[in-house]
Amino acid sequence: MRPPLPSAAALALAAAAVLSAVLPGASAALAAGSPAPSSFTISDPRIKESSGLAASRIHPGVYWTHNDSEDGPYVYGVDSATGRTVARVTLTGIGTPRDVEAISLGPDGQLYVGDIGDNRNGTWDHVWIYRFPEPKQLGDVTVKAAQFTVRYEDGPRDAESLMVHPVTGRVYIASKNESRGGLYEGPAELSTGGANVFRRVADVPWVTDGAFSPDGSRLTLRGYFTARTYPWKDGRPAGEGERVDAPWQGQAESVTYTPDGSTLMFGSEGANSRVVAVPVAAAAAPSPGAGSASPRPGSPPEAAPAPEPTGGFGKGALVLAGGLALVFGAKRLLRRRPRD
């Protein structure tokens, strides 16, 4: 007599238990029947210089992005399931964008767009932030945005990273410089009535984008060659952080967390650019041991480890694949089991 096969539900629970040990939020995704976040390719030919990413909170699987420069006042919503654009937002009430580099979603449900780049090595005496509510309906829409003037307490500089803390709503900008970059903190509330002065609170030598975890407890910063995640304590990144197993991308420009915090999404510039999903549990790697120098966030090329072209996903992704294979394999066996 053939021993009874376990039910698909029992196997699913077992797989979820394994996954939850290494991938926070994975068991919940399985229970809800929703697929784990996956990599995708931006297919819209209008998006040739995707320079920022922000995960939508009201449209599952949609990511907001924008071109670097010379595109106009546009923000695009891309469906990660297909790679297709499902929304284009035209901003009004602002001037002509100069060098848009970053986007972040605040706890107020508004998108913050950082027109903060300065390819002239920090010669603009001010830059801008645009803010508008995340559209409730997808499609081509026109919205009126607020425009905020930004100045740095220690003078002009180039920057490509803007992060809004998901709890306090405070805006941070990371300047991009090989030796003297910094993390700058904005005022508690931005004002349209005058310049908003951002003050330096930490050193970050070479950063092209950054993102807070959804609970605000961690800050991930990426450069062209490296990325690190830092505990966020008392309004500052703490310690040396952990190295992130970021993928190798030719023009590494963006990073964001999925809304559940389980996955980091890494993007790059270029036509048909790829957004690579890296599970958070698999992304973290131990910092170098005692006595060795830890690279600082977004280290410049000479301080970076050799890139891995495959952008390995690590142990967590392998366990995820194994768990899913277990569930789907069980379903196949149950379908093939002869009836009594």
Side-chain angles (χ1 to χ4, degrees), residues 22-206:
V22 292
L23 295 180
S27 58
L30 279 175
S34 58
S38 59
S39 305
F40 65 96
T41 298
I42 298 175
S43 61
D44 191 333
R46 296 172 297 181
I47 307 175
K48 297 179 180 179
E49 293 184 304
S50 174
S51 191
L53 280 176
S56 172
R57 293 201 194 104
I58 59 178
H59 305 295
V62 170
Y63 291 84
W64 299 103
T65 189
H66 53 81
N67 282 310
D68 189 337
S69 58
E70 298 180 358
D71 181 44
Y74 306 119
V75 173
Y76 302 84
V78 179
D79 181 4
S80 61
T82 63
R84 296 177 181 174
T85 296
V86 292
R88 186 173 86 154
V89 182
T90 301
L91 306 184
T92 63
I94 65 173
T96 302
R98 191 162 52 195
D99 191 356
V100 180
E101 292 286 355
I103 187 168
S104 184
L105 184 59
D108 54 2
Q110 300 202 76
L111 285 161
Y112 293 69
V113 179
D115 190 355
I116 55 177
D118 188 343
N119 292 325
R120 299 182 180 180
N121 296 319
T123 57
W124 301 113
D125 64 356
H126 67 278
V127 291
W128 300 293
I129 294 172
Y130 312 126
R131 186 182 70 190
F132 62 94
E134 181 179 12
K136 294 182 179 180
Q137 301 295 327
L138 296 174
D140 291 351
V141 297
T142 299
V143 301
K144 186 174 182 179
Q147 177 171 310
F148 304 99
T149 299
V150 170
R151 288 191 172 93
Y152 302 98
E153 66 170 357
D154 50 359
R157 56 208 58 250
D158 188 17
E160 294 190 3
S161 312
L162 178 146
M163 299 78 63
V164 182
H165 194 274
V167 177
T168 67
R170 193 181 288 267
V171 182
Y172 295 84
I173 294 174
S175 66
K176 176 186 172 185
N177 187 282
E178 183 174 337
S179 59
R180 297 190 61 193
L183 182 67
Y184 290 81
E185 177 186 75
E189 293 185 11
L190 298 179
S191 171
T192 58
N196 296 270
V197 178
F198 278 58
R199 61 190 186 92
R200 189 183 185 107
V201 295
D203 294 332
V204 284
W206 191 271

Side-chain angles (χ1 to χ4, degrees), residues 289-309:
S292 61
S294 298
R296 297 163 72 186
S299 301
E302 59 269 27
E308 297 180 9

Side-chain angles (χ1 to χ4, degrees), residues 214-240:
D215 63 2
S217 66
R218 301 182 303 278
L219 173 66
T220 295
L221 299 173
R222 82 168 304 180
Y224 287 127
F225 298 94
T226 65
R228 295 184 77 80
T229 295
Y230 297 83
W232 186 257
K233 296 181 179 180
D234 301 321
R236 309 285 186 275
E240 297 294 338

